[in-house]
Amino acid sequence: MIRRSWAEPFKIKMVEHLRMTTRAERESAIREAGYNTFLLRSEDVYIDLLTDSGTSAMSDRQWAGMMLGDEAYAGSANYYRLERAVRDVYGYKHLIPTHQGRGAEHLLSRLCIKPGQVVLGNMYFTTTRAHQELAGGRFVDVICDEANDPDDLSPFKGNVDIKKLANAIESYGAGRIAYFCLQCNVNMAGGQPISLANVRAVREICQRHDIPIYLDATRAVENAYFIKMREPGQSDRSIEDILLEICSLTDGCTCSAKKDALVNIGGFLCLNDDALAEEARNQVVLFEGLHTYGGLAGRDMEAMAIGIRESVQIDHIRARIGQVEYLGNLLIKAGVPIVRPVGGHGIFIDAARFLPHLPRDQFPAQSLTCALYIDSGVRAMERGAVSAGRDPDTGENIFPELELIRLTIPRRVYTQAHMDVTAESVIDLRDRAEEVVGLRMTSEPRYLRFFQARFEPVEGQSVFRRMPARATVSP
Ligand code: F0G
């Protein structure tokens, strides 16, 4: 049988023009941005692969829904429609909307972590761990070893190592463990999924020790797709069905709706426990807004309710992950070192191997994001030592095993041609990688430093040792 290609299950109704820049303009823009792509103006970016967060294109139905915003302070009709969508698709009992994912993480951490407790999980996420630490907790990683090996081709590299989990419960004692924080399509590991079998095993062991599990449902829909495609016995099930089972094995979730759920802003906390939900509804008023809007406008909740239902449609998810895979395959074919298998939301380039001449304390991944931007106006994100930050107890830099840059694909935004241009730029850079110099940090914010830190090249005035002799493909 001939395998047919996927194509987008939509056509384009409105376009947003992109500004083309020259290489000299980009050199100057990144210098002014302190060699941090987060500090660039988006006007100076051609293809923006910084994040898939809040960058999705909404559908005509979502935009139409924006006109149905019920902007009442209390009891908005949109809240009730959102509640129904979340119940139908995720299955939890109580919904507390928040302005975005970290609002939900803040609430959950305040509610469930006592100072001195630990949170177990399958790899940290930046904002999630920051809130756990602010609440006095410490994060303990029990992800499988395969997650840290970019070349390991296991299908579920986001899996929890059940032995590490059992050992952690044994050494800390169940009473000191606030909860298990279960990541889906583990972001910092390269968007790697967990298997349903693994979630069931985690549930079994946590239940035995009375340890609640809270899911980070941010990319759970995309994880459900990988389960359908890769896990024996799951191929006939719908995305909805698999997702409901994942959620049913947990006690609640935090979710950034800015990813899977196809909105530009929004998030939520879900809880099954009545008393905890009542407390969360009480505390959300302090930090986000009344429990029927949580920092969102009515129209935002309507767009989210519609986006949640669109997100689980198989044609959508196949094209979304297909596009990520398309870019990944171009790079794999050219021999670029990327995390494999290709994950759900982006391509993660192994910067340590891409720039082997740079020591880790010169932040090779940060340098590579700058070189890529200068080369073609493509904006990527560092996911290595800068993102990992410092140990909260010793103050030392953390050098995680993976030193990556992420080319994150917004949903329903770019075309295959944008992917081609991106791949060409990465491949060109790989061929003259030795020209890229390292960076030193000149200013370091206290929290989540990767967002606002500033850098300078360790030598010269650019991240390129010398201007390349040959012409580059300026967009
Ligand atoms: N959990 C995961 C797995 C995330 O990827 C994010 C955000 C959050 C929680 C926090 O949600 O941004 O709505 O407050 N990730 C973005 C990213 C920032 O680029 O990966 P938020």
Side-chain angles (χ1 to χ4, degrees), residues 38 50-54 98-105 124-128 131 183-188 216-219 254-259 265-267 345 348 381 383 406 408 450-451:
F38 276 102
L50 183 72
T51 177
D52 62 332
S53 182
T98 56
H99 76 285
Q100 60 182 83
R102 68 200 71 177
E105 291 164 356
Y124 82 102
F125 183 70
T126 53
T127 57
T128 324
H131 279 296
Q183 293 283 334
C184 275
N185 264 15
V186 182
N187 195 350
M188 302 304 278
D216 182 339
T218 297
R219 295 186 185 81
T254 56
C255 185
S256 168
K258 299 170 72 175
K259 283 80 165 175
I265 192 72
H345 64 301
F348 291 68
M381 184 192 288
R383 292 278 81 156
R406 187 181 74 178
T408 339
F450 58 95
F451 284 128

Side-chain angles (χ1 to χ4, degrees), residues 283-294:
Q283 293 212 20
V284 75
V285 234
L286 290 171
F287 301 105
E288 305 277 321
L290 191 69
H291 61 279
T292 55
Y293 75 85

Side-chain angles (χ1 to χ4, degrees), residues 259-270:
K259 283 80 165 175
D260 275 353
L262 298 163
V263 285
N264 305 124
I265 192 72
F268 52 86
L269 170 67
C270 285

Side-chain angles (χ1 to χ4, degrees), residues 161-177:
D161 183 325
I162 298 297
K163 218 163 153 196
K164 283 190 203 169
L165 170 59
N167 289 344
I169 296 174
E170 168 101 28
S171 64
Y172 290 104
R176 229 188 116 192
I177 298 168

